Amino acid sequence: MLAEKTKNKFIVDLERIIGKAAVLHSVEDIYSYANDSNCKISNQEKPMAIVLPSTIEEVQSIVKYCYEKEIPIVARGAGTNHVGGCVAKEGGIIIHFSRMNKILEISRKNLTAKVQPGVVVGDVQSAVERKGLFYPPDPSNLKVSTIGGALALSSGGPRGLKYGTAKDYVLNLKVVLSDGSLITTGSDCSKSVTGYNLTQLFIGSEGTLGIIVEATLKLIPKPKTSKILLAYFDTIEDASCAVNTVLEAGIVPSVIDLLDKFTLQTIEDFRPSGLITNKEAMLFIELDGDESAIAQCEADILKLLSNAQFQVVQTKAQAEVFWTARRASFAATSKLKGNVITEDVVVPRTKIPVLIKEIKKINEKYSLTACIMGHAGDGNIHPNYALDFDDEDEMNRFYLAKDELFKVAVNLGGTLSGEHGIGFEKAKYLSFAVDKNVIKISKQIKQIFDPKNILNPGKLFIE
């Protein structure tokens, strides 16, 4: 941490660059930006200041200054990350994009939207849908999650099975590099094979290679309608097998999410919505497209999954109730013990029953409480752990359980994250999940783009 005199000079310099009102450095401000959604990150450094740029040029000026002084920089959106990805682990500054939150352009003819990094994902979805268009990536926290953060993690959410994740809907980026220079990574055209695909390199890089300051998003026509089916099963295995039964029949729902019995009970206690809570598992299935096609898919699913008990949602109002319930799982879990940590692993679909069985064994071994749910269509499972952060013994047991969870997922042919990223919480597991030569090359890429290691340092890799 800087000495007080040097720190004061640092604050004065930042205020000169961007204006006094755009530099936050009080104890209260620092505390507010010190953590991510896990609320308690061990052994972290706190940022010296939070800066709030309004333009790309201001971002460039800030980054140039930090490059000269070798001051760490963390780009931050809504702070909803779960793995310490947006905390200032090595001090320095946080660039917060709340003032760069505009939708700059929506083009119906080109099927594109040009946006700033601080715009909320849900606001983008609403704006383009009013024009008959569709931006499918749909993280559960879409009402607060920002585009910049979603692209930094290539977040997907429930619609990943049918529509893909954030990486599939980015045509072009403007990125500020570690020395303050600005690059455009691609083009606004729907196709481009002109040089290396730098756009995809930055997506999912967790702010370690550059700072996204503008994005051109690909849009598609909005589906004409949608329908929700809730399918309840007597066993987790039956629910998991049902996913492949549906897909093998040539039906690709926009969403197939799995929630276990404890999750259903926890959500219903938190926000009564009419969910059935006496079955071991439920599949949340959403169909979208043409009305006649949906009707046929619905009939086929009801026939294919004859061992399930169904709730067929008939109205938009009822659909909104169930979607709200589905998205409330994180908040509902937090009511059990006061705090919640959501983990994030991915396995092949056929391995989901084994993974869930192992998760329950691990939780029993370490006496932990978890609601198990996830995007069963693409194998992305999220155990939501109810925890008391002030209970040191429980937290130690949780970290031991987490070690085993990641090893189980990788041993089943899976990986460490589908949408939350690595941050520093999962960095020590990277060598277990990724080939050592890939890690070596990744570090070389980091060195090329960030030779002074000032962009989100201490993330992804154990140095």
Side-chain angles (χ1 to χ4, degrees), residues 201-438:
L201 183 62
F202 285 102
I203 296 171
S205 66
E206 301 188 36
T208 62
L209 302 179
I211 299 173
I212 296 170
V213 290
E214 187 177 294
T216 301
L217 306 176
K218 180 179 76 172
L219 307 175
I220 61 176
K222 181 183 177 182
K224 291 182 179 180
T225 189
S226 62
K227 189 160 192 178
I228 293 173
L229 310 176
L230 306 183
Y232 297 86
F233 298 85
D234 292 327
T235 69
I236 289 280
E237 289 76 13
D238 286 347
S240 299
C241 291
V243 176
N244 284 331
T245 298
V246 170
L247 296 176
E248 288 168 4
I251 302 168
V252 183
S254 54
V255 176
I256 311 183
D257 274 10
L258 183 148
L259 294 83
D260 76 348
K261 181 178 183 178
F262 187 53
T263 303
L264 295 171
Q265 293 170 338
T266 301
I267 292 173
E268 197 65 13
D269 289 342
F270 172 72
R271 189 185 183 96
S273 306
L275 297 171
I276 295 172
T277 60
N278 63 351
K279 295 288 188 177
E280 289 301 314
M282 180 261 274
L283 291 181
F284 185 109
I285 303 171
E286 183 185 68
L287 304 167
D288 67 358
D290 180 81
E291 285 190 16
S292 60
I294 288 177
Q296 183 60 58
C297 288
E298 176 187 346
D300 290 344
I301 289 173
L302 293 175
K303 183 177 180 180
L304 287 165
L305 307 184
S306 57
N307 61 332
Q309 178 180 346
F310 278 93
Q311 285 178 295
V312 178
V313 178
Q314 301 294 349
T315 67
K316 288 185 177 181
Q318 191 180 17
E320 182 61 31
V321 168
F322 284 125
W323 259 120
T324 300
R326 159 62 187 83
R327 297 187 192 281
S329 58
F330 183 88
T333 306
S334 71
K335 292 295 183 181
L336 297 176
K337 287 199 173 184
N339 304 111
V340 57
I341 291 180
T342 297
E343 284 305 337
D344 163 44
V345 292
V346 189
V347 295
R349 276 193 303 270
T350 54
K351 301 296 186 180
I352 289 176
V354 180
L355 174 65
I356 292 177
K357 182 179 180 180
E358 290 299 316
I359 290 173
K360 290 188 174 183
K361 285 170 60 177
I362 292 168
N363 293 346
E364 184 177 350
K365 175 180 177 180
Y366 292 104
S367 300
L368 295 171
T369 300
C371 295
I372 301 173
M373 53 157 297
H375 317 311
D378 54 26
N380 192 184
I381 299 300
H382 298 295
N384 289 338
Y385 287 90
L387 299 164
D388 177 359
F389 286 171
D390 294 323
D391 185 336
E392 185 176 346
D393 177 67
E394 182 175 64
M395 294 306 296
N396 286 335
R397 284 184 277 115
F398 166 70
Y399 290 123
L400 291 172
K402 186 164 70 168
D403 289 348
E404 294 193 22
L405 167 65
F406 295 146
K407 289 175 182 177
V408 165
V410 173
N411 286 334
L412 288 173
T415 189
L416 300 177
S417 175
E419 51 196 12
H420 293 175
I422 301 301
F424 71 82
E425 284 283 297
K426 292 186 179 182
K428 68 178 182 179
Y429 305 104
L430 196 65
S431 61
F432 182 65
V434 179
D435 183 274
K436 64 179 181 180
N437 288 322
V438 172

Side-chain angles (χ1 to χ4, degrees), residues 55-64 67 97 100 104 114-117 172-186 198 202 209-215 449 455:
T55 66
I56 292 175
E57 292 74 20
E58 287 182 348
V59 176
Q60 288 183 268
S61 296
I62 295 163
V63 174
K64 285 177 182 177
Y67 183 79
F97 285 101
M100 294 179 66
L104 302 173
K114 199 179 295 290
V115 301
Q116 293 182 316
N172 197 9
L173 296 172
K174 287 185 178 180
V175 178
V176 173
L177 300 179
S178 68
D179 63 356
S181 58
L182 179 70
I183 65 169
T184 301
T185 62
L198 295 184
F202 285 102
L209 302 179
I211 299 173
I212 296 170
V213 290
E214 187 177 294
F449 281 94
L455 296 180

Side-chain angles (χ1 to χ4, degrees), residues 106-108 111 128-129 131-135 219-222:
I106 298 173
S107 173
R108 291 190 64 187
L111 294 179
V128 302
E129 286 179 21
K131 294 180 178 291
L133 303 174
F134 192 42
Y135 177 69
L219 307 175
I220 61 176
K222 181 183 177 182

